[in-house]
Amino acid sequence: MAPRLQVTSVFFISLCSLLCFLFVASRFAGQDVSQFDMSIITFVQSFETSWLTAVMQIFTFIGSTKVVIVITLAFMYFLYRVLHHRLEITFFITMIAGTAIFNQILKAIYHRARPNLHHIIEETGYSFPSGHSMEAFALYASLAFLLWRHLATRRARTLTIIGCVIMILWIGLSRIYLGVHYPSDVIGAYLASGFWFALTVWIFQWYKEYRYHQRKQKTSKTTA
């Protein structure tokens, strides 16, 4: 008998992320969130210097669609040619492509205008949730998840997690610093991408268990 799609801690993380996202989305037009956004933007942009601007532009470039596509293709090649994991490739594509589609749907639903404040760079399109932040979360959370089991030492695993978290946070921070997103755009993006990531991991883990049971049943029938 195939395993049932059970409710696990990963499912609850997905559900919690979704509920928190809906809360943020319902409040971003309110006075409290507006004050929060303005205070964070003012604080972050108070550190503006030429060298920091250059650093933030590098991080926002790393989070751009072109770079995400390059990293995605390179990692897919690594999964296929080195690790020989086709199922992981399916998970990875679902995560990255699904996040991009999900972001566009959410932007079309909420159609929030970008901040009308100090812009260091110019961007077009709607603001909520941040596309750079969603893709950064999806990409680096997926990299950490898929690489975790293949790293031999605890130190390597820890460094991988720390590196991925740094990339996620700094790409999101760069969007606030450069004046193209509200902090609530970035927070909402992390929650939306967290929902999609946890949901995809939940289904992925169930499917791996399902395939294991299927192979086990075939083996038992063959040897019977």
Side-chain angles (χ1 to χ4, degrees):
M1 181 180 294
R4 294 182 179 179
L5 192 60
Q6 298 178 347
V7 175
T8 65
S9 58
V10 179
F11 173 81
F12 282 113
I13 292 173
S14 176
L15 181 60
C16 182
S17 297
L18 176 61
L19 293 176
C20 290
F21 169 80
L22 292 174
F23 175 77
V24 173
S26 67
R27 301 287 295 175
F28 72 68
Q31 187 65 26
D32 52 346
V33 174
S34 296
Q35 291 177 351
F36 168 79
D37 282 338
M38 292 302 105
S39 62
I40 297 298
I41 290 174
T42 301
F43 175 76
V44 171
Q45 290 190 336
S46 68
F47 294 95
E48 182 181 347
T49 59
S50 57
W51 71 267
L52 186 56
T53 297
V55 170
M56 292 298 185
Q57 287 177 326
I58 291 173
F59 275 105
T60 212
F61 173 72
I62 293 173
S64 66
T65 301
K66 292 180 180 179
V67 175
V68 169
I69 291 174
V70 170
I71 295 174
T72 298
L73 292 175
F75 190 65
M76 286 170 57
Y77 179 82
F78 174 76
L79 288 173
Y80 182 76
R81 298 294 295 181
V82 179
L83 299 182
H84 308 291
H85 285 174
R86 297 183 180 181
L87 182 60
E88 280 77 0
I89 294 176
T90 302
F91 166 86
F92 195 54
I93 293 174
T94 302
M95 190 63 229
I96 303 302
T99 297
I101 296 171
F102 191 29
N103 177 256
Q104 292 303 309
I105 292 173
L106 292 174
K107 283 179 180 291
I109 291 173
Y110 293 104
H111 48 82
R112 186 187 196 185
R114 292 186 182 271
N116 187 22
L117 299 168
H118 174 46
H119 291 179
I120 298 177
I121 63 173
E122 295 295 328
E123 289 280 9
T124 59
Y126 294 125
S127 184
F128 182 86
S130 166
H132 277 64
S133 301
M134 280 190 69
E135 286 292 353
F137 190 105
L139 176 61
Y140 292 103
S142 298
L143 288 176
F145 173 73
L146 293 174
L147 288 174
W148 176 268
R149 294 169 301 149
H150 303 288
L151 298 174
T153 65
R154 180 179 296 180
R155 182 177 182 181
R157 292 177 176 179
T158 301
L159 290 176
T160 299
I161 295 297
I162 292 174
C164 289
V165 169
I166 288 174
M167 293 303 298
I168 291 170
L169 294 179
W170 274 90
I171 289 173
L173 182 62
S174 72
R175 306 303 284 170
I176 300 171
Y177 176 92
L178 296 172
V180 292
H181 278 294
Y182 295 103
S184 55
D185 294 336
V186 175
I187 294 172
Y190 290 157
L191 292 170
S193 200
F195 156 72
W196 181 247
F197 174 72
L199 180 64
T200 308
V201 167
W202 178 53
I203 296 173
F204 173 75
Q205 290 177 334
W206 170 83
Y207 184 70
K208 287 192 69 176
E209 186 178 352
Y210 171 79
R211 286 183 56 180
Y212 170 78
H213 278 78
Q214 291 292 98
R215 288 196 298 267
K216 190 175 180 180
Q217 287 178 1
K218 289 180 180 179
T219 302
S220 62
K221 289 180 180 179
T222 303
T223 57

